[in-house]
Amino acid sequence: MVPLLPRIADSGGMPRKPRHREPTASEQLEQLLGEPWAFRGRPPKHDVKRWRVSDDWPTQIPLTDAEIAVFEAWFGDVFDELFGPA
């Protein structure tokens, strides 16, 4: 003999509460910006022929001794291969 499971009461046609859903990243950005986020889904394809590259860096860029020490510590082997030992 198979035991009978208790029946779940019918809600009587009452509407269900909607489940809470977390907003997507785009929806969160829209809330923060106050306007629709323009990049939903796949990013638009760009025509690289229309790109323009500009160089507005100064001719000489000042570096501190600490910055030079970091580059020598991390990239010293690469610099030696490229330019020879100092």
Side-chain angles (χ1 to χ4, degrees), residues 12-23:
M14 292 177 56
R16 288 185 174 182
K17 272 187 172 178
R19 291 185 182 183
H20 176 70
R21 179 183 65 82
E22 293 296 323

Side-chain angles (χ1 to χ4, degrees), residues 12-84:
M14 292 177 56
R16 288 185 174 182
K17 272 187 172 178
R19 291 185 182 183
H20 176 70
R21 179 183 65 82
E22 293 296 323
T24 65
S26 294
E27 291 168 342
Q28 291 175 21
L29 281 171
E30 187 172 330
Q31 289 173 357
L32 288 171
L33 297 174
E35 58 187 37
W37 178 244
F39 304 107
R40 289 185 189 247
R42 211 174 249 225
K45 292 188 177 184
H46 297 286
D47 183 9
V48 295
K49 294 176 185 172
R50 297 180 57 202
W51 287 8
R52 192 184 84 196
V53 178
S54 61
D55 178 12
D56 58 356
W57 284 58
T59 305
Q60 291 186 354
I61 301 169
L63 293 175
T64 64
D65 290 336
E67 291 170 319
I68 294 171
V70 168
F71 274 92
E72 287 178 348
W74 284 93
F75 303 108
D77 296 339
V78 176
F79 292 152
D80 288 344
E81 286 180 27
L82 292 172
F83 308 114

